[in-house]
């Protein structure tokens, strides 16, 4: 039918373009003892890449030359997630397997540190595009942290510990927070809705914080 013909035509065009598309490889010049890579994240300007490894370090490389620019050390266990600040190429956040979060200033090499009290894995983190807020996901909790302060100013939870928050991401305006939650019980609509009602606190708390500033 017409729909299948259109899809096939689009597929053929995509395949043809991909076949003739020229690509260049840049090899990041990491130390020879680095054996495993877990996470990679590109800087907002596309000039650098951050990567995490089994030696508990974070390496920053130049994407034009592959040159190693910085080595960030201090996490007690492997960094499990990374996030660049969306408007500042010198600010990088990382969260590790032992529940420690660091916000690195690549210019000064200083970092701010917060650890959750249970030392549980940091699943995901993300910067607000405007406000000084880092959102952190661990266990069934979402923490909101102004990293100029010693600890998060607010924490919200899903309705039970089994519902782990595995992903957090602000939209481009910062007015919404996307969450990925495991083990949501679809048959129980009251429990399901309760989780998202709690997540909506994210938007309300952010709006109230913005008005109070």
């Amino acid at each position: 039918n017409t729909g299948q013909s259109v899809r096939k035509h689009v597929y053929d065009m995509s395949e043809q373009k991909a076949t003739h598309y020229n690509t260049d490889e840049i090899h990041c010049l990491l130390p020879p003892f680095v054996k495993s890579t877990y996470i990679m994240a590109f800087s907002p300007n596309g000039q650098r890449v951050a990567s995490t490894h089994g030696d508990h370090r974070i390496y920053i490389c130049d994407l034009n030359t592959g040159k190693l620019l910085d080595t960030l050390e201090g996490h007690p266990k492997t960094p499990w997630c990374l996030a660049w600040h969306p408007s500042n190429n010198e600010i990088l956040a990382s969260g590790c397997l032992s529940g420690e979060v660091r916000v690195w200033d690549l210019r000064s090499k200083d970092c701010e540190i917060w650890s959750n009290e249970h030392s549980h894995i940091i699943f995901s983190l993300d910067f607000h595009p405007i406000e000084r807020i880092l959102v952190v996901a661990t266990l069934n909790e979402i923490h909101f942290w102004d990293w100029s302060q010693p600890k998060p100013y607010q924490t919200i939870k899903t309705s039970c510990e089994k519902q782990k928050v595995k992903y957090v991401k602000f939209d481009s305006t910062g007015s919404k927070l996307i969450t990925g939650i495991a083990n949501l019980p679809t048959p129980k609509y009251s429990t399901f809705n309760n989780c998202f009602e709690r997540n909506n606190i994210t938007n309300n708390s952010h709006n109230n914080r913005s008005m109070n500033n």
Side-chain angles (χ1 to χ4, degrees):
N1 57 34
T2 304
Q4 290 178 335
S5 299
V6 171
R7 283 194 293 271
K8 186 178 185 305
H9 179 65
V10 172
Y11 176 82
D12 290 342
M13 287 180 58
S14 301
E15 186 176 29
Q16 184 178 10
K17 286 189 176 182
T19 302
H20 295 89
Y21 188 77
N22 294 324
T23 59
D24 295 323
E25 288 188 4
I26 298 293
H27 294 271
C28 294
L29 304 177
L30 300 177
F33 56 79
V34 176
K35 300 298 183 183
S36 56
T37 301
Y38 292 101
I39 301 291
M40 300 182 72
F42 295 107
S43 63
N45 63 6
Q47 298 299 305
R48 288 178 289 179
V49 62
S51 57
T52 73
H53 305 270
D55 61 1
H56 305 174
R57 296 182 176 93
I58 301 169
Y59 296 101
I60 312 293
C61 291
D62 187 306
L63 284 173
N64 296 305
T65 64
K67 180 182 177 182
L68 179 62
L69 301 175
D70 285 302
T71 300
L72 308 179
E73 302 184 66
H75 275 301
K77 290 189 177 179
T78 301
W80 205 243
C81 50
L82 291 172
W84 289 89
H85 193 285
S87 60
N88 190 333
N89 293 287
E90 304 300 330
I91 300 295
L92 178 72
S94 57
C96 80
L97 290 174
S98 65
E100 183 184 81
V101 179
R102 293 185 175 230
V103 177
W104 308 84
D105 185 330
L106 300 183
R107 290 163 297 195
S108 65
K109 305 301 185 293
D110 293 334
C111 68
E112 304 299 331
I113 305 172
W114 170 73
S115 296
N116 71 67
E117 60 183 6
H118 305 296
S119 299
H120 285 296
I121 177 175
I122 305 299
F123 288 122
S124 180
L125 39 75
D126 193 42
F127 286 102
H128 191 278
I130 302 171
E131 304 290 341
R132 191 185 178 93
I133 300 171
L134 180 71
V135 62
V136 180
T138 180
L139 288 178
N140 67 321
E141 302 173 346
I142 301 175
H143 302 272
F144 297 84
W145 184 32
D146 173 352
W147 59 95
S148 66
Q149 303 301 315
K151 61 182 181 179
Y153 64 86
Q154 185 172 7
T155 299
I156 60 176
K157 300 180 180 181
T158 58
S159 58
C160 67
E161 290 186 1
K162 291 183 178 180
Q163 297 169 10
K164 310 296 186 187
V165 184
K166 296 296 188 72
Y167 180 79
V168 286
K169 181 72 175 178
F170 283 110
D171 72 346
S172 59
T173 66
S175 61
K176 295 182 176 64
L177 178 66
I178 301 167
T179 57
I181 302 175
N183 303 319
L184 281 176
T186 52
K188 301 290 185 180
Y189 289 101
S190 59
T191 306
F192 180 86
N193 289 334
N194 187 29
C195 288
F196 282 89
E197 286 170 4
R198 289 174 181 269
N199 285 341
N200 286 337
I201 297 174
T202 303
N203 293 334
N204 295 333
S205 65
H206 166 60
N207 291 336
N208 290 337
R209 182 176 171 81
S210 297
M211 288 187 293
N212 293 334
N213 287 342

